């Protein structure tokens, strides 16, 4: 994956009113999820912006409330590419990926961003863009190649996740589909349902006519 540098500040003034005020100043509330799992009660010291979320069985997880400038995340959000984010917060570097974005239903501006902290030894699940490569046999026969899934979910250590998964369609015949279960990528676990159709060569009128004439 490409790397994206992002500076963030701890956010301690929480609530809807505070978030609304931030947005007025072109700032975006952010939550960094996926931090360290801790034993409760917690005996350590939380850093600015950090809070503990109970997850049961006497354990909790530390999340961090942050704020970033809207202009700083424009190239991170408005792109089909995915990034490994090098996040600087509280004077330290932390690695993350984009988890979720909330947009205003009318204005389409960003209301909130969720990031997921990632580690070299902990797999994460993330959507990766699909790129089709080659010239399908079915297209040569008059069919039309269609892409049903622009992104697929993969699970892997973030350092092994590619910018996109490339699928060769040379052998895809007329009227045939390629499903998740047909695919394999070294080091990646595909999370989508195995029968989910990724791409297909659809019959066109011309192709149907050619088939009928051949019979």
């Amino acid at each position: 994956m490409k790397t994206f540098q992002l500076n963030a500040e701890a956010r301690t003034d929480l609530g809807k009113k505070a978030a609304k005020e931030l947005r007025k100043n072109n700032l975006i509330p952010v939550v960094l999820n996926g931090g360290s799992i801790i034993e409760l009660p917690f005996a350590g010291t939380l850093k600015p912006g950090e809070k503990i979320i109970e997850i049961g069985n006497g354990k909790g997880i530390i999340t961090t409330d942050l704020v970033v400038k809207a202009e700083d995340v424009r190239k991170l959000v408005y792109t089909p590419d995915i990034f490994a984010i090098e996040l600087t917060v509280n004077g330290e570097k932390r690695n993350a990926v984009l988890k979720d974005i909330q947009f205003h239903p009318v204005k389409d501006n960003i209301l909130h961003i969720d990031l997921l902290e990632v580690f070299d030894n902990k797999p994460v699940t993330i959507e990766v863009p699909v790129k089709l490569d080659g010239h399908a046999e079915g297209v040569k026969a008059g069919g039309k190649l269609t892409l049903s899934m622009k992104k697929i979910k993969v699970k892997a250590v973030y350092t092994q996740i590619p910018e996109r998964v490339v699928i060769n369609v040379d052998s895809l015949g007329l009227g045939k589909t390629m499903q998740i279960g047909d695919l394999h990528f070294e080091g990646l676990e595909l999370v989508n349902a195995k029968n989910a159709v990724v791409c297909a060569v659809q019959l066109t009128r011309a192709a149907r006519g050619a088939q009928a004439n051949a019979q």
Side-chain angles (χ1 to χ4, degrees), residues 152 167 178-185 190 198:
I152 61 176
I167 300 173
M178 190 172 290
Q179 301 178 349
I180 290 291
D182 301 321
L183 305 177
H184 175 75
F185 301 97
L190 304 186
V198 180

Side-chain angles (χ1 to χ4, degrees), residues 44-58:
T45 302
L46 294 175
K47 297 176 183 177
E50 291 185 341
K51 64 184 178 184
I52 297 172
I53 306 296
E54 290 190 37
I55 57 176
N57 297 320

Side-chain angles (χ1 to χ4, degrees), residues 60-76:
I61 191 165
I62 296 176
T63 65
T64 310
D65 289 296
L66 306 169
V67 60
V68 298
K69 295 178 181 179
E71 61 190 46
D72 289 348
V73 296
R74 191 169 300 278
K75 292 183 179 179
L76 173 67

